[in-house]
Amino acid sequence: MNHKRVYRLYREDGLILRLRRPRRNVIAANRERQPAALAANQMWSMDFVSDALFEGRRLRALTVVDAFTREALAIDVDQGIKGEQVVAAMTRIASLRGAPKTIRVDNGPEFISKALDRWADDNGVTLDFSRPGKPTDNAFVESFNGRLRDECLNSHWFLSLADARAKIEAWRRDYNESRPHTALGWLTPAEYAASSGGNPGGCRPKTRIVPG
């Protein structure tokens, strides 16, 4: 039996099987993208990163980034994060900065949950979902997650959940307050946020002298 005989029998029996893309994916692929952020706190991006403790237990980290200032607004770490925990993180950050106009997310179950949808509706926030297979739609948080993995997750042993939270939070603060970015004119995210008037509830930036 070869593919030619299979195809001949398939045709003789009048079989017809067409591959169809889900309607939801077709709509997502053709919809218009949201414009880029033009001010601090206008657009957030969030995603998940997975890792493990030293003995193999899995952990997940919810990362939230301001698309304009590049600030890491939060990295919430737990062994499992549900939609309700995502809402709790959004509520906590919004209480310090105010809610953004848009949050860019992928199509993960935590982000399409009823809890997050209800929170977004109550706070006038648009959830901008990435198109399937298009990680560049959420490029800021994808780039941030790469740095988090290379510079923190791959560089530490996490002895416990508390240890992971402490080390990751220390890295987040260093990233915001001590790491200049070329895209920000060699300012740190905290300095850039302060200079653009978008550092609500944030830390006072350190004084920095930039060579040249």
Side-chain angles (χ1 to χ4, degrees), residues 139-154:
F140 292 124
V141 76
E142 292 285 346
S143 175
F144 174 81
N145 288 349
R147 290 192 177 189
L148 171 62
R149 183 168 299 282
D150 291 341
E151 299 173 8
C152 182
L153 302 184
N154 291 346

Side-chain angles (χ1 to χ4, degrees), residues 21 46 82 85-86 89 148 176 208:
R21 296 177 65 188
M46 62 179 174
K82 299 180 180 179
Q85 291 168 282
V86 175
L148 171 62
N176 282 342
R208 179 179 299 278

Side-chain angles (χ1 to χ4, degrees), residues 9-180:
L9 295 175
Y10 177 86
R11 297 284 295 179
E12 288 177 357
D13 288 343
L15 300 177
I16 299 176
L17 180 61
R18 291 182 298 171
L19 296 177
R20 296 183 178 181
R21 296 177 65 188
R23 184 178 298 274
R24 176 169 170 267
N25 288 353
V26 172
I27 294 174
N30 293 331
R31 65 181 173 78
E32 294 183 2
R33 301 296 302 148
Q34 294 288 330
L38 300 176
N41 214 46
Q42 185 180 81
M43 180 184 296
W44 299 349
S45 297
M46 62 179 174
D47 197 5
F48 284 101
V49 179
S50 297
D51 203 63
L53 301 179
F54 79 102
E55 85 281 38
R57 282 188 296 160
R58 303 299 297 174
L59 60 82
R60 299 189 79 197
L62 171 68
T63 56
V64 187
V65 177
D66 187 300
F68 183 77
T69 67
R70 310 295 204 274
E71 293 171 281
L73 305 181
I75 307 177
D76 283 17
V77 181
D78 211 328
Q79 288 187 271
I81 300 179
K82 299 180 180 179
E84 291 76 10
Q85 291 168 282
V86 175
V87 169
M90 297 298 97
T91 302
R92 185 184 74 246
I93 302 171
S95 69
L96 299 174
R97 305 173 61 91
K101 294 182 179 179
T102 305
I103 303 179
R104 282 187 172 170
V105 295
D106 62 21
N107 292 272
E110 301 85 359
F111 298 146
I112 62 175
S113 67
K114 292 182 179 179
L116 183 59
D117 186 65
R118 187 180 308 112
W119 178 87
D121 184 63
D122 291 343
N123 290 273
V125 176
T126 298
L127 296 177
D128 181 23
F129 292 93
S130 300
R131 295 167 293 178
K134 297 288 186 180
T136 52
D137 285 347
N138 209 359
F140 292 124
V141 76
E142 292 285 346
S143 175
F144 174 81
N145 288 349
R147 290 192 177 189
L148 171 62
R149 183 168 299 282
D150 291 341
E151 299 173 8
C152 182
L153 302 184
N154 291 346
S155 302
H156 292 92
W157 283 95
F158 300 126
L159 303 180
S160 65
L161 192 58
D163 182 50
R165 286 169 173 164
K167 289 175 178 175
I168 291 173
E169 176 62 16
W171 182 88
R172 185 188 73 87
R173 289 183 175 275
D174 180 73
Y175 176 89
N176 282 342
E177 300 171 15
S178 304
R179 299 279 299 279

